[in-house]
Amino acid sequence: MNDQELAKQIVKHVGGKENISQVRHCATRLRLIVRNKDLIETDQVENLDDVKGSFFNSGQYQIILGTGLVNRVYDETLKIVGEDNNENAEEVVYGNKFQRAIRMFSDVFVPIIPVLVATGLFMGLRGLRTQETILKLFGLTTKSIPSNLLLFTQILTDTAFAFLPALVCWSTFKNFGGSPVIGIVLGLMLVNPALPSAYDVGSGAAKPLMFFGFLKVSGYQGSVLPAFVTGIVGAHFEKWLRHHIPDAIDLIITPFLTLLVSIILALFGIGPLLHAVETFVLWLVENILFLPMGIGGFLYGCFGQLLGIFGIHHILNFLEISMLAKDGWNYLNPIGTCGNVAQAGAVLAVAIKIKNNKTKQVAYPSALSALLGITEPAVFGVNLRLVKPFIAAMIGGGVGGFFASIFHLKATGMSITGIPGTLLYLNSQLPIYILVNVIAFAVAFAITWFFGVKNEEEKEAEAPAPVIENESEALYAIADGEAIVAADIEDPTFADGLLGPCFGIRPTNGNVYAPADGVITLTVPTKHAIGITTSNGAEILLHLGLDTVKMEGKCFQDQLQVGAHVKKGDLLTTMDLDMVKKAGYSITMITIVTNGQNYDDIHQIKTGEIKAGDEVMALKK
């Protein structure tokens, strides 16, 4: 199928465009933030052509498509969802605070990664042009390279790092709802030529500016955390100003105050403090990596691969950037590369030995992809599902990392690994780089071959997923008032059953009660929707009022947290009916069965006057 059809099928099987809050993507994965994750039909998504796997992590449903294809499918998906809806969608809350913080950090850095990858390739090519061993093959020396050509290569390799704070501030403002153009100007201020360069200060060629007799100020070239936190503060401050500055002077005052206050905080508060934090974290990581007898390399090569599973691997970008800015070397890259190559070794062993054709079709191209530095198809499509191959890859990566540490391997750039990563070692290190990766690949392949794929796992991979039988159950009224059938609900989305079988209640008071025993699975910041999975498996969405999302939660009391257990009749929240009516919105409360396809019969058994706790709908399997 073509890109447009693939996007349509993906949207269909994740619950329709109404269930998609935001669309994002990284180098290989389409990232969808959904309103109700229980609507996702994972098996149908993964059976689509060109889909190499999927998983739900840190509030995002991530579909592995591969490089190139993911960009095209993202564009087509955005056309379906609507770009305006995507940019202005309400945030859906999934996971704990740590998971949301990691997703936030990832969302800021994902758009920047392609630039860093390109810069890494430029670094490798520049190294190729300046290596005496390579030049001798053509009868040249380093003196044979024109100075202007070297200057040109310096432009290619240094620009992204020198102006990295501008990229970080731009992406942070964009993700936090500020004006991206203000963000990029704020980031440029952090590296303004009027400030002593961080590189010159670090090398001793220049001294920082001194304010108030004790505060040292310099540029933040190659720095990440100061720009990141400044971007968050600046974006929130700008949004606050937009709500308090009169429209007549907003265009003049808001950008002026945002830039002025943000740069003062950055240069005299946030910057010095977080630069010190960056320096400490860098020192700590380097000391772990340089543990004696290759221990540090083994630990990172082995357990560093877990970072990608939890979606927090992008947090290491600022460490690699800081290392390169400090002394021109990247100590994480060679060890991380061993982990990637080990995944290739493990997945290739699976591809050769396993009998399941579907797994073979995914595993063979995933092996090549991992050798090129893209491991998501191998990890999430094959190795992690079978578990043992992933463990084998961890061991292989650890062994490779051990030897990389013993031989003191270090890269001249970042963001490229595997075969393309050879460009970062075009010096006396190249044979060692190849050797440690061959070791990582061989160890992972051998362990997977002998211990990672057995007949039981082959049968498990071929066996269809077990079907869970849902018992018959009832749903009860969530409020006092008048029960109405779906067709009488004012919104066609519910009246036509697009989200599933449903009924409405026109309440006489604002108390909202649980319709059955179960667990809270969804909340939203605007508090107008609550997801519940009942004890018998029914997936319920409570939609409180129509268009009440626009009231930003002001008409609701605080509701329960995701994961909380509730009993039928427990008070969930209270909606201020008078406030909703005054705002011009409908107070109708809707109860939706979002997994109605799992039931043979769903019918409403009561309409008219009703009390909270009365039986309203019957579900039968």
Side-chain angles (χ1 to χ4, degrees):
M1 64 180 68
N2 59 32
D3 301 336
Q4 184 181 41
E5 183 60 29
L6 179 56
K8 287 181 179 179
Q9 290 298 315
I10 287 174
V11 171
K12 174 184 175 182
H13 293 305
V14 298
K17 69 177 184 179
E18 296 83 4
N19 193 41
I20 298 175
S21 175
Q22 290 183 339
V23 185
R24 297 285 185 267
H25 77 92
C26 59
T28 60
R29 287 169 275 172
L30 184 68
R31 299 165 175 250
L32 305 177
I33 300 178
V34 297
R35 294 183 172 89
N36 184 358
K37 68 179 181 180
D38 296 325
L39 294 180
I40 299 172
E41 299 173 333
T42 303
D43 291 340
Q44 285 82 349
V45 172
E46 294 185 349
N47 284 330
L48 294 173
D49 293 342
D50 297 318
V51 172
K52 300 175 178 64
S54 68
F55 60 98
F56 195 93
N57 186 47
S58 298
Q60 294 178 333
Y61 182 53
Q62 303 187 27
I63 303 170
I64 305 167
L65 297 172
T67 55
L69 177 61
V70 69
N71 300 77
R72 302 195 302 272
V73 174
Y74 165 80
D75 291 337
E76 296 297 336
T77 305
L78 205 57
K79 292 176 184 177
I80 299 172
V81 174
E83 190 164 354
D84 290 339
N85 292 335
N86 183 54
E87 294 298 330
N88 300 317
E90 76 272 17
E91 181 183 358
V92 181
V93 178
Y94 286 108
N96 55 41
K97 291 182 178 179
F98 176 75
Q99 290 173 319
R100 294 198 296 273
I102 291 302
R103 192 189 80 198
M104 171 188 69
F105 194 88
S106 175
D107 286 345
V108 168
F109 275 89
V110 162
I112 301 173
I113 288 177
V115 174
L116 298 180
V117 171
T119 299
L121 289 171
F122 289 142
M123 288 178 170
L125 292 173
R126 187 186 187 201
L128 179 64
R129 287 183 172 274
T130 56
Q131 290 302 317
E132 291 188 1
T133 304
I134 302 297
L135 293 174
K136 283 181 180 179
L137 298 176
F138 302 95
L140 302 173
T141 67
T142 53
K143 295 181 179 180
S144 304
I145 307 298
S147 59
N148 286 342
L149 180 58
L150 289 175
L151 178 61
F152 174 71
T153 59
Q154 186 176 353
I155 293 172
L156 294 174
T157 58
D158 294 359
T159 301
F161 290 110
F163 294 97
L164 187 64
L167 299 176
V168 173
C169 272
W170 161 77
S171 186
T172 305
F173 263 71
K174 183 178 179 181
N175 275 276
F176 283 88
S179 300
V181 68
I182 295 178
I184 201 167
V185 171
L186 179 59
L188 289 171
M189 287 180 174
L190 293 174
V191 293
N192 190 291
L195 295 171
S197 167
Y199 302 137
D200 292 338
V201 172
S203 65
K207 293 183 179 181
L209 301 177
M210 191 69 69
F211 285 83
F212 313 115
F214 70 94
L215 191 60
K216 297 178 179 179
V217 174
S218 62
Y220 290 93
Q221 288 82 0
S223 193
V224 173
L225 283 183
F228 177 62
V229 176
T230 298
I232 295 175
V233 173
H236 282 294
F237 182 56
E238 182 196 354
K239 289 195 295 183
W240 182 86
L241 289 174
R242 298 286 183 196
H243 286 91
H244 292 82
I245 299 295
D247 291 343
I249 58 174
D250 174 73
L251 182 63
I252 300 173
I253 298 300
T254 298
F256 170 77
L257 289 179
T258 301
L259 288 171
L260 178 63
V261 173
S262 298
I263 195 60
I264 290 174
L265 289 174
L267 292 181
F268 302 118
I270 295 172
L273 176 62
L274 291 180
H275 183 64
V277 172
E278 270 189 340
T279 302
F280 172 75
V281 173
L282 180 62
W283 172 86
L284 182 63
V285 171
E286 287 183 345
N287 275 272
I288 293 175
L289 288 178
F290 297 150
L291 286 173
M293 297 182 291
I295 296 174
F298 177 81
L299 292 176
Y300 179 63
C302 182
F303 296 103
Q305 298 180 61
L306 296 174
L307 299 179
I309 296 177
F310 298 110
I312 59 177
H313 53 299
H314 297 305
I315 205 168
L316 296 176
N317 288 337
F318 90 89
L319 291 175
E320 295 186 76
I321 292 166
S322 298
M323 289 177 179
L324 289 166
K326 179 183 177 184
D327 59 13
W329 296 108
N330 181 350
Y331 305 99
L332 285 173
N333 180 275
I335 301 173
T337 295
C338 290
N340 290 354
V341 171
Q343 292 291 342
V347 78
L348 182 61
V350 172
I352 296 172
K353 192 172 183 182
I354 203 166
K355 298 294 191 294
N356 182 278
N357 288 328
K358 172 69 174 177
T359 304
K360 283 181 177 290
Q361 291 172 4
V362 174
Y364 275 116
S366 295
L368 176 60
S369 176
L371 287 174
L372 295 175
I374 307 297
T375 59
E376 284 90 347
V379 172
F380 296 106
V382 180
N383 292 347
L384 196 58
R385 291 185 175 189
L386 297 178
V387 180
K388 291 180 181 178
F390 185 81
I391 296 174
M394 289 179 62
I395 297 172
V399 175
F402 166 80
F403 284 104
S405 181
I406 289 292
F407 291 121
H408 305 292
L409 269 179
K410 48 191 178 182
T412 58
M414 62 177 289
S415 299
I416 52 175
T417 61
I419 296 173
T422 56
L423 291 172
L424 305 182
Y425 301 87
L426 292 176
N427 47 39
S428 58
Q429 299 183 106
L430 184 57
I432 303 301
Y433 175 79
I434 295 173
L435 173 63
V436 298
N437 282 287
V438 168
I439 291 173
F441 183 95
V443 170
F445 183 95
I447 295 176
T448 303
W449 182 269
F450 290 109
F451 305 104
V453 182
K454 293 186 178 180
N455 291 332
E456 293 80 5
E457 287 155 330
E458 292 178 13
K459 292 176 182 178
E460 179 182 348
E462 294 175 324
V467 177
I468 299 174
E469 295 291 335
N470 291 302
E471 299 177 1
S472 300
E473 62 177 307
L475 297 181
Y476 300 87
I478 63 173
D480 299 334
E482 177 191 4
I484 60 175
V485 296
D488 292 336
I489 299 174
E490 301 93 319
D491 190 320
T493 299
F494 305 105
D496 296 339
L498 296 181
L499 298 183
C502 64
F503 66 88
I505 294 177
R506 293 171 179 154
T508 54
N509 65 67
N511 290 338
V512 181
Y513 302 93
D517 298 347
V519 178
I520 302 291
T521 54
L522 170 71
T523 64
V524 294
T526 49
K527 305 176 185 178
H528 73 288
I530 303 171
I532 298 175
T533 298
T534 71
S535 301
N536 289 322
E539 297 166 3
I540 309 301
L541 177 65
L542 307 182
H543 197 284
L544 309 179
L546 300 177
D547 292 326
T548 46
V549 62
K550 299 175 182 176
M551 300 188 70
E552 299 180 344
K554 296 175 182 176
C555 59
F556 298 99
Q557 290 184 354
D558 290 338
Q559 57 194 47
L560 296 172
Q561 298 296 314
V562 170
H565 290 264
V566 295
K567 294 287 187 181
K568 185 201 80 170
D570 284 353
L571 181 65
L572 300 179
T573 187
T574 299
M575 183 168 75
D576 189 327
L577 302 185
D578 292 334
M579 184 183 296
V580 175
K581 292 176 182 177
K582 187 175 180 180
Y585 303 125
S586 170
I587 61 173
T588 301
M589 299 176 180
I590 306 153
T591 303
I592 310 149
V593 183
T594 58
N595 65 333
Q597 71 276 6
N598 292 342
Y599 295 88
D600 294 328
D601 179 51
I602 297 177
H603 64 275
Q604 189 168 341
I605 61 177
K606 188 171 184 179
T607 58
E609 185 178 349
I610 203 164
K611 291 288 185 183
D614 289 351
E615 185 175 347
V616 183
M617 181 173 276
L619 290 70
K620 185 178 180 181
K621 182 65 180 176

